[in-house]
Amino acid sequence: TTPFEVSWSHTCTGSNRILLVAFSGGDAGDTVASVTYNSVSLTLAKEQVNTGANIISLWYLVNPATGANTVLVTVNNSITTAGGMAVSLTGVDQTTPIDASGVGAQADAADSISVDIVTITNDAWVVDAVTKESASDNLVVGAGQTERVNAVNTTHDMGMSTEPKAVAGTVSMAWDDGGSIATFAWSIAAVAIRPADGATAVKTLSPLLLMGIGM
């Protein structure tokens, strides 16, 4: 159907919150029209399209409503393979939540992907989201990253991770396919989140609720 929609429930708790939502699509030429949480619109951080292969789209909302609410992603065109993921953080600067703007990368006929982002503020956190074509092999998160979502499907895989950066500088976010003998098309997006004044880091992540791969 057009437009295509994906929805699921995510719970936000704590103070100085931010919600990050990622959409993973396995069709060519897809773009996300909008993302809402509790009917409030999110802002696009980065959308990476690997033409002819897949898309990863990363969005954020400062001070999302607490409790369990619905995430709704609307895609501009019809789609056959899609999924959604969400991570919420606390201890985030509510005025300037984005420490470093979103970056993205793609890889074709590859068994891994990475992207570098340069944080500005000490104790920032980087959040990334990845998608790849799949033959039901693994997604393996890079060194220093904490895996938050890892969903494997016969048509495409998706994942999210976080990494703290105590001293501002370059952070490399990476994923690989766990040594698969095949190669695939990948897309990755990442954004850095700024801590609130007096916060030593974005310490707490609320429970993840994952929308499974939709066909």
Side-chain angles (χ1 to χ4, degrees):
T1 60
T2 304
F4 181 88
E5 294 183 342
V6 177
S7 64
W8 70 99
S9 179
H10 182 83
T11 300
C12 292
T13 61
S15 59
N16 292 326
R17 299 176 303 279
I18 192 170
L19 171 68
L20 294 112
V21 172
F23 172 83
S24 166
D27 286 0
D30 304 317
T31 54
V32 175
S34 64
V35 179
T36 62
Y37 179 71
N38 194 35
S39 299
V40 178
S41 295
L42 277 70
T43 300
L44 179 64
K46 178 63 181 180
E47 186 165 88
Q48 182 69 38
V49 178
N50 189 335
T51 304
N54 50 36
I55 177 179
I56 195 73
S57 191
L58 185 59
W59 300 67
Y60 70 93
L61 175 64
V62 179
N63 194 30
T66 56
N69 295 286
T70 298
V71 179
L72 174 63
V73 180
T74 303
V75 182
N76 283 312
N77 55 306
S78 61
I79 193 170
T80 58
T81 305
M85 307 171 279
V87 171
S88 49
L89 309 174
T90 63
V92 174
D93 188 316
Q94 299 292 282
T95 302
T96 310
I98 303 303
D99 185 70
S101 299
V103 296
Q106 67 182 60
D108 297 298
D111 57 15
S112 64
I113 191 170
S114 65
V115 68
D116 291 343
I117 186 167
V118 181
T119 64
I120 300 168
T121 307
N122 291 346
D123 294 312
W125 278 66
V126 177
V127 180
D128 79 334
V130 69
T131 187
K132 80 171 186 70
E133 295 175 317
S134 174
S136 295
D137 44 12
N138 295 327
L139 278 176
V140 179
V141 72
Q145 296 164 234
T146 299
E147 178 186 293
R148 303 299 179 180
V149 179
N150 190 331
V152 177
N153 184 268
T154 56
T155 54
H156 89 288
D157 303 338
M158 61 184 186
M160 290 184 81
S161 74
T162 60
E163 181 172 345
K165 183 64 172 172
V167 178
T170 301
V171 179
S172 181
M173 306 297 282
W175 295 76
D176 66 57
D177 60 14
S180 170
I181 60 173
T183 56
F184 300 96
W186 300 71
S187 295
I188 190 171
V191 65
I193 305 301
R194 179 173 296 178
D197 289 342
T200 57
V202 184
K203 294 180 178 179
T204 307
L205 288 93
S206 70
L208 299 175
L209 289 105
L210 167 66
M211 168 67 190
I213 303 291
M215 300 296 292

